[in-house]
Amino acid sequence: MPQPQLGEARIITETGLDRRIADIIEPVLVAMDFKLVRVRMMNQNGLTLQIMAERTDGTMTVEDCEAVSMVVSPVLDVEDPVDKAYHLEVSSPGIDRPMVRKSDFTRWTGHLVKCETSILVDNRKRFRGKITAVNEDGFTLERDQVAYGEEPRVMIPFNTLAEAKLILTDDLIRDALRADKLAKAQAANQNDEDDSEE
């Protein structure tokens, strides 16, 4: 399973205040070897700023969330993009994660996704189905519910995507747990190699 690249730009990004905050914190996250997944200001518990991030190997522990929070918080205090009091929440993307980079589609090929496009693609804006193929320009979706007169497969260009998210299934849970276990084993092996070099 190919791992997402650190320098890979997101194809789905925020707008407005969320975009300003993302522009402020993304370089900080990259310097810490994390990738920004999404920033969202939400009206819950007063005002909550949710930052979704992950390590380059796709993992994100509670300790990672704390580390990101401790570094990002003072940067946001200095830049002060939000003129009201808010709670900062740093989290992992979760298993039914937002898909924001081309590599996300490659990594989760074979799994169900629901997505929305900004323009009509094949006379629709909302799609749901299995990712069957990915190339530089977009991905092929095999619809799980085909309406009369529609083709079972549709090619969705990346530049039309407004939103995309994995759908929670037993297969997705199994593959996500397997990927997480593999990433942790690789990290442990890396730490063992680093220790033996000292």
Side-chain angles (χ1 to χ4, degrees):
M1 198 175 282
Q3 293 301 317
Q5 301 302 307
L6 186 61
E8 182 188 2
R10 294 179 301 148
I11 53 174
I12 299 175
T13 56
E14 299 79 7
T15 57
L17 176 61
D18 293 347
R19 178 66 178 260
R20 272 188 55 214
I21 294 167
D23 289 345
I24 291 166
I25 65 169
E26 192 160 23
V28 177
L29 292 174
V30 168
M32 296 173 68
D33 281 342
F34 286 94
K35 295 183 314 170
L36 179 62
V37 175
R38 183 177 74 195
V39 169
R40 186 170 282 171
M41 186 60 81
M42 301 179 294
N43 285 320
Q44 68 184 50
N45 303 333
L47 213 51
T48 299
L49 172 59
Q50 181 193 60
I51 297 172
M52 276 189 194
E54 64 187 348
R55 289 198 165 278
T56 52
D57 63 7
T59 62
M60 188 73 172
T61 65
V62 171
E63 293 78 16
D64 292 337
C65 291
E66 290 170 357
V68 167
S69 182
M70 288 176 63
V71 172
V72 163
S73 192
V75 172
L76 289 171
D77 287 346
V78 170
E79 295 288 336
D80 202 23
V82 184
D83 59 2
K84 299 181 184 109
Y86 63 91
H87 305 281
L88 178 61
E89 175 188 293
V90 177
S91 68
S92 78
I95 294 177
D96 53 347
R97 58 173 297 132
M99 309 276 276
V100 297
R101 290 179 171 83
K102 291 178 182 180
S103 62
D104 292 338
F105 292 87
T106 303
R107 183 176 183 198
W108 299 107
T109 295
H111 289 283
L112 282 177
V113 67
K114 66 179 177 182
C115 61
E116 195 167 323
T117 56
S118 54
I119 60 170
L120 288 176
V121 174
D122 201 27
N123 295 317
R124 282 177 161 238
K125 282 190 167 186
R126 289 200 171 111
F127 299 89
R128 180 189 149 114
K130 188 184 290 188
I131 302 166
T132 58
V134 181
N135 65 32
E136 186 58 31
D137 300 320
F139 63 100
T140 303
L141 191 80
E142 187 175 291
R143 303 178 211 233
D144 60 353
Q145 297 157 342
V146 183
Y148 180 76
E150 286 184 332
E151 291 295 321
R153 290 177 183 238
V154 61
M155 173 68 176
I156 300 176
F158 285 128
N159 64 4
T160 65
L161 277 180
E163 199 172 318
K165 183 179 181 181
L166 283 175
I167 296 172
L168 200 57
T169 62
D170 289 344
D171 287 346
L172 177 61
I173 293 169
R174 185 194 64 236
D175 288 357
L177 291 173
R178 188 181 296 145
D180 192 50
K181 190 174 179 180
L182 183 66
K184 286 179 178 160
Q186 287 173 337
N189 290 342
Q190 185 64 44
N191 289 340
D192 292 345
E193 287 172 21
D194 293 346
D195 291 345
S196 64
E197 288 172 8
E198 291 174 6

